[in-house]
Amino acid sequence: MPTILWNRRWALDLNRHLLAGDKFPYGLQWGDPHVEGIRYYWNRCFTARRSSGHLCRVVSNYIRPYVNKGSIALEIGFGGGRWTEFLLAAREIVLVELDPEFFVYVSKRFPEHLSRFRFYQTSGYELDGVEGSSIDSAFSFGTFLHIEISGIEGYLTSLERVLRPGGTAVLHHSDTSKPYFKNISMERREAFTNMNCSTMQRLIAERRFEIVDHNRTLLRHSAIVVIRRRAD
């Protein structure tokens, strides 16, 4: 199961991307949320660069309904800004990363929005530098796939503190009960958290959250859960 040390690899991966001079923004190698319609089905069937699922629907169903010009958003594990781009509608965005190299990369990618960014380098699974009850909506895609279950618990506890009552979090997590995991190598499987939907729901139920939506079908190897911070 991936650890904090294992997740330090993403900074090295970013450096390789920059040294290779790849023209596409870092992160799109795992799928482009802009791709939809015929282009999506073509990529899915005929190209080597296949995403985990219909990512444009993540934007339409799980970002746009929860982010608006009056909100303060938070993103855990923003990486190269693949999803940050769609959070720019928010008044302010708190960007959380383990690897500070991504702060520099995203600052250069979105220079016109820097005044609305707040960067926070987590030591791992915590949001201690984020003010309590200050966040309207949180989002994380790709991160909870690759952290220990204890890390997911740590982030859920932190989100319980930083989300305002009524605030929402959209969290993407692995589901190793899916057929996808029967057809991959053990080495690749070990890169994913051994998580499933029932376990995720149990962890959520132990905290002051209610589940708004739990989509198990949109993505091949994972699920998306929307939770709301209860007032009590």
Side-chain angles (χ1 to χ4, degrees), residues 64-79:
R64 287 181 180 145
Y66 302 103
V67 177
N68 58 65
K69 63 182 180 180
S71 63
I72 298 178
L74 178 145
E75 184 178 7
I76 299 172
F78 60 88

Side-chain angles (χ1 to χ4, degrees), residues 19-115:
L19 288 172
D22 291 328
K23 295 182 180 179
F24 58 88
Y26 181 81
L28 293 191
Q29 62 267 45
W30 296 297
D32 186 347
H34 291 98
V35 174
E36 56 185 322
I38 294 174
R39 284 181 62 209
Y40 166 73
Y41 291 104
W42 176 269
N43 286 354
R44 181 174 177 177
C45 296
F46 299 109
T47 71
R49 188 180 298 167
R50 297 175 183 173
S51 74
S52 57
H54 214 149
L55 300 185
C56 71
R57 292 182 182 170
V58 176
V59 177
S60 61
N61 297 348
Y62 297 105
I63 296 181
R64 287 181 180 145
Y66 302 103
V67 177
N68 58 65
K69 63 182 180 180
S71 63
I72 298 178
L74 178 145
E75 184 178 7
I76 299 172
F78 60 88
R82 175 169 61 147
W83 300 100
T84 310
E85 175 181 355
F86 302 101
L87 299 174
L88 295 176
R91 173 166 57 90
E92 186 176 349
I93 308 170
V94 181
L95 296 169
V96 179
E97 256 295 346
L98 180 67
D99 300 306
E101 290 84 352
F102 289 108
F103 299 157
V104 177
Y105 183 83
V106 164
S107 295
K108 291 180 179 179
R109 184 174 175 187
F110 304 111
E112 68 275 24
H113 298 285
L114 273 179
S115 63

